[in-house]
Amino acid sequence: MSTTGANADPLAALGELPGVAESVESVRKAVDRVYGHRIMRRRSNAVTSEAALRGARGSAALSGADWALEEVRRRGDFGGDDEARTVGAALRLTAEAGQLLSVWRQSPLRVLARLHLVAAAEGADRVGRPRQGGEPVDEPFVEVPLPDAAEAHGRLDGLAGLIIAGGSAPALVTAAVVHGELLALRPFASHNGLVARAAARIVLIGSGLDPKSVCPVEVGHADLGRAAYLAALEGYVSGTPEGMAAWIGHCGRAVELGARESMAVCEALQRGAA
């Protein structure tokens, strides 16, 4: 994604791409339906907690640890094999994201470093800092061309500048760009997918679109499938208007599916079944 040029608000320009306004409106309506459910007046904390668990499960599934929800719910030890560590990292990130909202708009790079530290929790020499030249990247499944470290650093700085500057872009657009750019850059040596999805969640919460974090977008991405997720990412990486619009639309559908998941949770709570 180019972050230079005459346009002072490039993210807002993305909101004008064909189909994006419709995605933004559809997402807003889906989220509003959740917030309008009567259970949200009395038990919104329960919905938030359940959304966090389901979102972590979805994010872990996209990174290769596709566990059943009840397995995630009952497990207490996530320090075993690679899949268990991935699920544990996703759970830690979901819990941490809500603590970083006040920092995000002032220092997004600091937040990203913290997210990586929380996710990796090991290998101190490469944790919590962008990768250096020559360092390998362990990011299963994401196979788009990997920018070198210098390009990744420059684009990461550009992304941070856009976040700090703010703008008029819809929350869906900003979250999609943050998510796509971090996946494209893979600025850390590992756990980039988990970090990218956590950062997108922070944008959706902090923007006011989903302030109680009850619409787990990661669930939607997992439901749409890893193949569709990676195909949409290729559109983002292409940088074409069509590719960018397709990625934003894909992210919008994921938010809608996350909202649908929480509507089901609300209905279950109302029936006393969850």
Side-chain angles (χ1 to χ4, degrees):
M1 181 194 69
S2 173
T3 57
T4 61
N7 191 335
D9 192 355
L11 299 187
L14 295 177
E16 300 172 3
L17 292 174
V20 171
E22 291 82 357
S23 292
V24 168
E25 179 64 12
S26 185
V27 163
R28 186 191 62 78
K29 289 179 178 178
V31 174
D32 284 350
R33 281 194 290 272
V34 178
Y35 279 83
H37 197 287
R38 66 176 63 185
I39 207 72
M40 288 293 293
R41 293 195 294 269
R42 299 181 287 110
R43 301 191 63 186
S44 64
N45 287 344
V47 181
T48 296
S49 295
E50 190 63 22
L53 184 72
R54 295 177 186 225
R57 192 217 71 82
S59 190
L62 290 167
S63 288
D66 192 1
W67 287 15
L69 179 63
E70 291 310 313
E71 177 71 4
V72 178
R73 197 189 303 277
R74 75 171 184 82
R75 285 283 287 267
D77 177 17
F78 298 96
D81 58 20
D82 286 346
E83 286 196 5
R85 286 192 288 272
T86 296
V87 175
L91 288 167
R92 291 193 301 273
L93 282 173
T94 300
E96 186 74 11
Q99 309 302 314
L100 298 171
L101 294 172
S102 63
V103 184
W104 174 252
R105 285 293 299 272
Q106 286 74 41
S107 185
L109 295 182
R110 178 180 164 196
V111 169
L112 293 174
R114 175 61 185 170
L115 290 174
H116 187 247
L117 181 65
V118 168
E122 58 187 17
D125 58 328
R126 300 175 65 200
V127 167
R129 64 160 177 80
R131 59 186 166 87
Q132 303 300 309
E135 289 184 344
V137 174
D138 179 15
E139 194 61 45
F141 311 116
V142 180
E143 297 179 350
V144 294
L146 180 70
D148 64 27
E151 180 182 349
H153 288 200
R155 287 172 60 178
L156 199 61
D157 286 342
L159 179 65
L162 289 175
I163 298 302
I164 293 168
S168 59
L172 171 63
V173 171
T174 303
V177 168
V178 167
H179 188 166
E181 192 73 352
L182 291 174
L183 276 179
L185 296 179
R186 282 147 289 167
F188 300 106
S190 64
H191 299 85
N192 291 284
L194 293 173
V195 168
R197 292 184 286 275
R201 174 181 280 257
I202 287 173
V203 173
L204 294 173
I205 299 169
S207 68
L209 177 66
D210 182 19
K212 294 182 182 292
S213 191
V214 296
C215 298
V217 61
E218 305 93 335
V219 168
H221 282 301
D223 285 352
L224 290 167
R226 187 189 299 133
Y229 180 66
L230 296 177
L233 176 64
E234 288 181 1
Y236 177 87
V237 171
S238 76
T240 65
E242 297 80 8
M244 297 292 287
W247 169 251
I248 295 167
H250 187 86
C251 291
R253 289 191 293 277
V255 177
E256 292 181 56
L257 288 171
R260 186 179 71 178
E261 183 86 356
S262 284
M263 281 293 288
V265 169
C266 288
E267 291 294 323
L269 288 169
Q270 185 165 281
R271 296 192 304 269

